[in-house]
Amino acid sequence: MAGAFLMEIRRATQSALLVIRAAAELPSAPVEVSVCADSLEVRSGRSCDAAALPAGVRLAPSSCRGLRRLRGDGLHLRVRLRCPPPAADVVFTLKESLKPNKNYIFYCQSCGDIVVKDWKFLRVLPLPSEDWSDLVEEWCCHPDPFARSTLHPQHGDCFVGDTYFLVNSGNESHVPESPVCCSEAGHHASQSGSYLKSKENTRVICKRCKTMLGETVSSDTIKYYVTEVNIQPAEGSFSPTPRSQFVQSMVAQCLLELSSAKSTFRFTIKGDNGKTYILVWLLNSDTLLVESFGSSSCHSDFTLFGDILTPSSGPVGTWNAVKVLYQPCIQCRNKELADAWENDMGVHPLKFPSETCLELLLILGLSTTSLPPSLRCMNSFQVCSGDGD
């Protein structure tokens, strides 16, 4: 049977929700489920599905409780674990991904073209929170001393923001220049490295695929979004990452970093046009998902949100998961809630290119539909569970 089971394990409580999805295919037939410490077996009529659990995941069969059958889902039950599941792999944060005095190559994530080669930074420094200037009035009893100050990187600097890198354009070692036509701006623009700069448009665009990579902040400062460039050490080999997996990975890292550093769990996903596209509420990041795929033709590539590593191969896959609630805000949907979050100091804004916001919304939607129907919604929000390895 395709997709025999889905198990959602919480590390903090050492408990798991087990959904026997195979039982949904024959809703009127009797189903026999055998839960062992290291395996699961589902029998229905003459068919039998058995799957060994991954190393490190061991169940306590005697703790099974709450067995029920839900239409469209299959069988649900809860079970305890004998021992804590394997710890999640340590993920390098955005601020740790770049080191001073090392050469890097910036690639366009969408097409793999080189944006900048042999880029060496003397300093890599974190930027303050995006809304830091809004709080100055609370800190100072006199006029804002930073009103005319801007944080622009000098030669050899790289400033790391929540969702972007600020770099000095004088650092760049460009690929050979050639004149190209920027169809978006409707006139010719000169190509510098792998992007186009139009006098009428500050968008930084890949010369090959015309994807937006960032924007020019000033005459000597460029902002590259973390979802649009793949930064690799110059001495290493480049291996492209599927677009949806890369977007999920980078957004998941942003959520985890900010929730850990600022105890912030609600986020607005905004486009470079200033519009709010998605409201995101981070539920937890200690989940381990285990899924038996059954027939590979029935497995969705978008099962999970936040892929950072490819799931384990074989009939049973495992993912360290990030679980979020979300609400789309396109076409004036959820406008009242979006306005309320906009004015809430506990909500943190994350800015990405508008096209990437739409990509992320599609990924979230596909992830939600791959879950059992009863797990897709919570308190009017849609649910997405995903890989955070």
Side-chain angles (χ1 to χ4, degrees):
M1 296 179 186
F5 72 85
L6 172 68
M7 185 186 303
E8 182 180 311
I9 299 172
R10 291 294 307 276
R11 288 185 171 87
T13 58
Q14 294 186 38
S15 61
L17 170 65
L18 177 61
V19 180
I20 310 295
R21 304 177 105 172
E25 299 179 6
L26 300 170
S28 60
V31 177
E32 179 181 334
V33 180
S34 298
V35 179
C36 302
D38 59 356
S39 65
L40 296 171
E41 185 177 276
V42 181
R43 294 179 178 271
S44 182
R46 297 182 179 180
S47 64
C48 176
D49 276 323
L53 296 178
V57 177
R58 294 296 178 262
L59 305 179
S62 60
S63 66
C64 292
R65 59 183 174 83
L67 179 64
R68 56 179 179 155
R69 190 169 200 161
L70 298 180
R71 183 182 297 274
D73 278 20
L75 294 175
H76 284 228
L77 63 91
R78 294 192 175 273
V79 62
R80 301 281 301 177
L81 272 66
R82 282 187 170 178
C83 56
D89 294 333
V90 176
V91 176
F92 287 105
T93 65
L94 299 177
K95 298 176 178 62
E96 295 173 332
S97 61
L98 293 178
K99 302 291 185 182
N101 298 312
K102 288 189 65 175
N103 288 338
Y104 293 94
I105 299 178
F106 281 40
Y107 297 90
C108 171
Q109 203 289 316
S110 296
C111 70
D113 197 24
I114 293 179
V115 179
V116 186
K117 61 181 179 180
D118 296 330
W119 209 341
K120 179 185 287 188
F121 300 111
L122 303 179
R123 299 190 304 173
V124 179
L125 303 172
L127 284 168
S129 173
E130 294 296 305
D131 55 357
W132 70 274
S133 59
D134 296 337
L135 302 176
V136 170
E137 292 183 0
E138 304 296 330
W139 303 338
C140 302
C141 58
H142 48 78
D144 183 1
F146 308 107
R148 297 184 179 180
S149 300
T150 55
L151 294 175
H152 286 175
Q154 302 301 309
H155 181 77
D157 288 347
C158 175
F159 293 169
V160 183
D162 293 338
T163 63
Y164 60 86
F165 302 101
L166 274 186
V167 296
N168 189 290
S169 56
N171 299 344
E172 303 182 40
S173 298
H174 298 298
V175 295
E177 296 187 1
S178 61
V180 286
C181 179
C182 180
S183 58
E184 179 184 5
H187 61 276
H188 289 280
S190 61
Q191 183 252 325
S192 181
S194 197
Y195 62 83
L196 307 172
K197 286 196 297 183
S198 166
K199 293 180 180 179
E200 300 176 5
N201 198 331
T202 61
R203 289 161 63 98
V204 178
I205 303 173
C206 173
K207 70 170 184 180
R208 177 190 288 177
C209 66
K210 305 302 186 290
T211 296
M212 177 182 176
L213 305 177
E215 54 194 78
T216 56
V217 178
S218 68
S219 60
D220 59 354
T221 302
I222 300 175
K223 174 193 290 187
Y224 287 111
Y225 288 103
V226 298
T227 53
E228 313 309 314
V229 291
N230 194 338
I231 305 173
Q232 298 293 329
E235 64 273 12
S237 59
F238 174 66
S239 178
T241 304
R243 176 65 181 165
S244 62
Q245 181 179 332
F246 187 84
V247 170
Q248 294 175 74
S249 167
M250 299 313 296
V251 174
Q253 287 188 49
C254 292
L255 298 180
L256 293 177
E257 284 185 42
L258 288 167
S259 64
S260 175
K262 305 176 186 295
S263 296
T264 297
F265 304 98
R266 290 182 296 158
F267 305 87
T268 55
I269 305 298
K270 291 178 170 289
D272 62 287
N273 57 7
K275 295 181 179 179
T276 299
Y277 285 80
I278 316 170
L279 308 178
V280 175
W281 196 325
L282 177 63
L283 282 185
N284 64 67
S285 58
D286 70 337
T287 297
L288 176 67
L289 292 181
V290 181
E291 184 174 10
S292 171
F293 300 136
S295 171
S296 60
S297 63
C298 295
H299 173 61
S300 169
D301 290 336
F302 297 92
T303 300
L304 302 168
F305 171 67
D307 288 312
I308 296 177
L309 292 180
T310 304
S312 58
S313 59
V316 177
T318 59
W319 293 264
N320 290 306
V322 174
K323 191 169 186 177
V324 302
L325 304 180
Y326 70 96
Q327 287 279 24
C329 296
I330 58 174
Q331 298 177 342
C332 296
R333 295 176 62 182
N334 301 300
K335 187 177 186 306
E336 290 186 6
L337 182 60
D339 291 342
W341 280 35
E342 188 74 27
N343 298 319
D344 191 330
M345 293 296 292
V347 177
H348 194 87
L350 295 176
K351 181 181 175 183
F352 299 99
S354 301
E355 296 86 349
T356 301
C357 295
L358 293 174
E359 283 184 79
L360 179 60
L361 186 56
L362 175 61
I363 291 169
L364 290 169
L366 290 171
S367 300
T368 299
T369 56
S370 72
L371 294 172
S374 66
L375 303 181
R376 295 175 186 174
C377 294
M378 182 184 297
N379 296 334
S380 78
F381 280 75
Q382 298 181 65
V383 179
C384 184
S385 295
D387 189 350
D389 273 336

